[in-house]
Amino acid sequence: MTRSFLANLALFSELDSDVIDRIAAGTTELRLPKGQVLFHRGEPCSGFHAVMYGQVKLGFVSPQGAEKVMEIFGPGQSFGQAAMFLGRAYPVDAECLADSLLLHISKASIDSELVRDPRLARRILAGLSRRLVGLVHDVEGYSLRSGMQRVIGYLLRDIVGRDDPAAPIRLVLGAGKGVIASRLNLTPEHFSRILGELSRETLISVRGAEITILDVSRLRGFLGT
């Protein structure tokens, strides 16, 4: 199962079978329950992780005790490459938001394959570049977009061309509202107020973790408010 997953991971999908075999030999499965800490900020990094199933949040806690969620990773996504290549300790904490099966891919196995196959280097550079662009977009959002615009952007993030943009769309929040609020640089109270305002405008309906977008076109239009 590990080898099959690695072969389909975006980083490794174009690599030869023998390369996947060698990387799999340096890979360890980690089965962790919800709430389990994978690593703490400041711990040494000896590889990177990929999510087979479950969900992991990366973040840190301020001296005042406030948590800032930097990113949330789900199945098929990987994290930790930057710290691994820099040879530095983890800059954030990682905690499972659900029962999870993770893979730890060792730095030693990646280093040896980078010498053999430059395609892997290009894939890793592309992945790190996408992550950097994402961070730039985050800073732009925190600096230039209102809280309302950030929440709407989050709700619409995975919605692309649809045959009927006016048809309702049901979403299930992949994490707790407090975690999502922190990811959007909002307080939980502000996040809830925004959802309430969107509900009053009949743009969405909220039922626990389930949100129904009642009209995608109108919600997109609300981004300009």
Side-chain angles (χ1 to χ4, degrees), residues 68-130:
K68 170 56 185 171
V69 177
M70 298 299 297
E71 190 58 272
I72 301 170
F73 294 94
Q77 295 181 301
S78 59
F79 56 92
Q81 293 95 323
M84 179 185 75
F85 283 119
L86 288 171
R88 296 182 179 177
Y90 290 113
V92 292
D93 302 322
E95 179 184 338
C96 294
L97 295 175
D99 292 346
S100 302
L101 176 56
L102 310 177
L103 297 181
H104 178 266
I105 298 99
S106 70
K107 182 177 187 299
S109 64
I110 295 298
D111 283 346
S112 62
E113 294 309 321
L114 287 174
V115 175
R116 291 188 178 99
D117 195 332
R119 291 177 300 173
L120 178 56
R122 288 196 295 270
R123 282 300 186 95
I124 291 175
L125 283 171
L128 291 173
S129 298
R130 284 193 296 271

Side-chain angles (χ1 to χ4, degrees), residues 119-160:
R119 291 177 300 173
L120 178 56
R122 288 196 295 270
R123 282 300 186 95
I124 291 175
L125 283 171
L128 291 173
S129 298
R130 284 193 296 271
R131 194 72 49 80
L132 177 60
V133 170
L135 289 172
V136 171
H137 287 165
D138 285 347
V139 173
E140 178 186 17
Y142 301 154
S143 304
L144 303 177
R145 303 180 79 191
S146 68
M148 175 73 74
Q149 290 171 325
R150 275 175 264 160
V151 172
I152 293 174
Y154 178 83
L155 295 176
L156 295 174
R157 69 195 187 286
D158 294 325
I159 299 174
V160 291

Side-chain angles (χ1 to χ4, degrees), residues 165-181:
I169 298 175
R170 176 181 168 274
L171 307 172
V172 177
L173 297 179
K177 291 180 180 178
V179 172
I180 295 172

